[in-house]
Amino acid sequence: MTLRPDQLRAEAAYIAYHFHWSPTDVLTLSHGERRAWVREIARINTTVNHPDANGDW
């Protein structure tokens, strides 16, 4: 799968912002690994912002 440059940039920025990883570190991840981190960050944000929505924390 090939991402458009703006999609890749959005994924990289999202991960780098939340985990304080360098762009180089984020961009060396495979697409699947980046998507997994994006999903995990989204899950964490949802849980933190809406603790009653998910009892994982």
Side-chain angles (χ1 to χ4, degrees):
M1 167 182 241
T2 302
L3 288 179
R4 294 188 333 243
D6 60 324
Q7 291 172 313
L8 179 57
R9 192 171 22 261
E11 280 185 5
Y14 189 70
I15 296 168
Y17 175 81
H18 287 282
F19 286 161
H20 308 285
W21 291 356
S22 74
T24 301
D25 289 339
V26 176
L27 292 173
T28 59
L29 299 171
S30 69
H31 174 69
E33 189 68 16
R34 275 193 316 275
R35 292 300 305 149
W37 283 114
V38 166
R39 284 190 303 273
E40 184 60 16
I41 293 166
R43 187 191 67 75
I44 291 167
N45 284 336
T46 298
T47 302
V48 168
N49 292 323
H50 305 285
D52 294 333
N54 186 342
D56 289 347
W57 288 77

